[in-house]
Amino acid sequence: MDLIQRLKSDYPWIQTPLVVSAPMRLIALAELAVGVSGAGGIGFIGAGTDVSDLEKHFEHASDLLARSSSPPKSSSEVLPIGVGFINWGAQLDQAIGIIKKYKPAAVWFFAPSSKQSLKEWSERSREACPEAKIWVQVGSVREAHLALEIRPNVLVVQGTDAGGHGLAQGAGLISLLPEVNDAVQEKIEKEGCEAPIIIAAGGIVEGRSAAAALALGASGVVMGTRFLASKEANIAKGYQDEILRAADGGQSTVRTKVYDNLRGTTGWAESHNARGVINRSYTDNLAGMGEAENKRLYEEEIKKGDEGWGVEARMTTYAGTGIGLVKEVKGVKEIVEEVRKGVKSALNELKV
Ligand SMILES: Cc1cc2nc3c(=O)[nH]c(=O)nc-3n(C[C@H](O)[C@H](O)[C@H](O)COP(=O)(O)O)c2cc1C
């Protein structure tokens, strides 16, 4: 079976080219996930490092699906959405109980604390829900090799343009994805096992970038930043306005640990940091402001509500370098359909 047929058989409601919404912690909840799957993509709920509210989000998603007039068609065994964990922080036993109860079609792993931990998460998830496909997000060829040991169904290859967390040292998709693809093929040929499906993430916000990712060897694309500017995202208006305002993402965003430190989101390994829009928190840190003072100012800024976001403000605005191409808040259905259509026209217009 070719990879696209396999995708269609694993997730029978999808349309291709496949568009996936990233499991963004606190932001990608039931409405976003169900909306994306309803539009023929695959929507993920972001559980992140804390699964204490996850059951509530699954209840909400189940309710939305039950009330939908045309729910995405999944096998009766699984819910047609996925869930994403940040493994170093998420509570395994609690997560497994929820996977067993709600049976998501896909379970996404990111940043496990060790190879052993990744193995344990995947074995226990497969045991809890054998129908759920295992997705692992990696940011380097080395991480891809490690992930391959648990035989993931899907490898999400995350380039350094991605918004939010990822490897501090990385490469853009244009060099990373083909190299990962070759490494996967080599291993598969040697071991004779089934190849994982490769999905690209990082900097993709519209049809042209999605088409490029497919040309690099991906079978679908993940978008995070684009969905920050969606009606279904659980996001403050000030944050969303910044996504629309910022342009020239290579200049207006930066990978740093500064924002995590100020927010107290500690626990990430040294290997990881996060990409966000440059604001006063970052420029003051660069200019030598101590962490205690910067944190004090951050706490003050929170009290300002939506005014706390902006170039001259201080609130964290995680986003990828594709931010300059995101100009309008739209519903997820429109976003997914636009990207699918955009891929087709970008490929049609190719002259070689
Ligand atoms: C605000 C935000 C939060 C994110 N949270 C998570 C997360 O909780 N778990 C995860 O695996 N990836 C997370 N990511 C990374 C995405 O999985 C994905 O790699 C990234 O959004 C792709 O790049 P893009 O933002 O340029 O589309 C997050 C990204 C953003 C922008």
Side-chain angles (χ1 to χ4, degrees):
M1 205 189 304
D2 81 9
L3 295 175
I4 297 300
Q5 276 178 314
R6 220 168 91 204
L7 272 176
K8 288 184 170 170
S9 134
D10 289 348
Y11 317 95
W13 68 88
I14 64 161
Q15 293 174 46
T16 55
L18 174 63
V19 177
V20 177
S21 59
M24 296 182 284
R25 175 180 164 259
L26 306 175
I27 295 173
L29 303 180
E31 278 189 41
L32 178 44
V34 170
V36 169
S37 287
I42 303 179
F44 277 80
I45 291 179
T49 48
D50 178 6
V51 299
S52 52
D53 277 344
L54 186 56
E55 185 143 10
K56 188 177 85 188
H57 300 313
F58 267 112
E59 278 300 320
H60 188 193
S62 306
D63 188 48
L64 290 173
L65 287 163
R67 284 194 286 121
S68 162
S69 53
S70 54
K73 178 183 78 184
S74 66
S75 80
S76 58
E77 307 297 324
V78 296
L79 217 54
I81 55 170
V83 59
F85 298 98
I86 297 175
N87 300 75
W88 63 256
Q91 217 276 334
L92 176 63
D93 288 331
Q94 221 174 326
I96 294 300
I98 295 172
I99 292 169
K100 193 168 184 168
K101 180 166 175 190
Y102 292 97
K103 302 195 182 322
V107 181
W108 164 310
F109 300 141
F110 181 46
S113 55
S114 65
K115 199 163 89 176
Q116 188 50 35
S117 157
L118 178 63
K119 192 161 171 269
E120 195 179 359
W121 272 87
S122 71
E123 282 172 358
R124 292 200 48 198
S125 300
R126 283 182 164 134
E127 209 176 88
C129 181
E131 302 82 12
K133 302 297 175 198
I134 301 293
W135 294 41
V136 184
Q137 178 163 245
V138 299
S140 67
V141 178
R142 182 175 166 275
E143 279 195 345
H145 274 296
L146 292 175
L148 284 176
E149 292 186 22
I150 63 137
R151 303 248 188 279
N153 302 97
V154 171
L155 259 190
V156 178
V157 179
Q158 185 197 43
T160 196
D161 288 309
H165 290 89
L167 285 178
Q169 195 183 338
L173 280 174
I174 202 152
S175 50
L176 178 63
L177 201 133
E179 194 177 344
V180 168
N181 221 338
D182 287 353
V184 168
Q185 290 318 318
E186 200 178 309
K187 184 160 171 94
I188 298 313
E189 275 160 30
K190 212 185 311 168
E191 299 185 3
C193 49
E194 188 177 72
I197 288 166
I198 291 184
I199 308 279
I204 302 165
V205 293
E206 40 109 82
R208 288 170 296 178
S209 34
L214 301 186
L216 292 169
S219 298
V221 298
V222 170
M223 301 193 300
T225 298
R226 182 63 191 91
F227 287 112
L228 293 175
S230 70
K231 291 178 185 159
E232 290 84 349
N234 182 44
I235 188 171
K237 182 164 186 318
Y239 187 167
Q240 200 166 51
D241 285 348
E242 268 301 279
I243 300 299
L244 302 183
R245 181 203 59 79
D248 201 2
Q251 301 299 305
S252 61
T253 70
V254 66
R255 298 205 72 93
T256 177
K257 272 189 181 285
V258 168
Y259 298 122
D260 269 349
N261 292 343
L262 296 182
R263 296 198 314 162
T265 325
T266 49
W268 283 93
E270 268 312 298
S271 50
H272 286 71
N273 63 9
R275 184 179 290 282
V277 179
I278 294 174
N279 64 17
R280 285 297 293 274
S281 293
Y282 180 75
T283 52
D284 281 348
N285 172 274
L286 263 194
M289 182 183 280
E291 195 169 304
E293 175 61 1
N294 210 344
K295 224 173 191 159
R296 188 188 69 74
L297 292 171
Y298 192 89
E299 299 298 324
E300 285 300 307
E301 201 78 356
I302 294 174
K303 297 178 191 155
K304 296 185 185 165
D306 289 328
E307 300 299 309
W309 280 275
V311 172
E312 291 302 325
R314 316 192 80 87
M315 301 276 285
T316 301
T317 315
Y318 284 141
T321 63
I323 198 168
L325 293 158
V326 181
K327 303 223 167 68
E328 212 184 316
V329 174
K330 293 181 179 173
V332 290
K333 185 167 189 292
E334 196 181 344
I335 294 173
V336 171
E337 286 172 354
E338 242 176 45
V339 173
R340 274 202 304 261
K341 208 166 137 212
V343 167
K344 288 179 184 158
S345 56
L347 295 177
N348 280 338
E349 280 164 26
L350 261 190
K351 292 185 186 63
V352 288

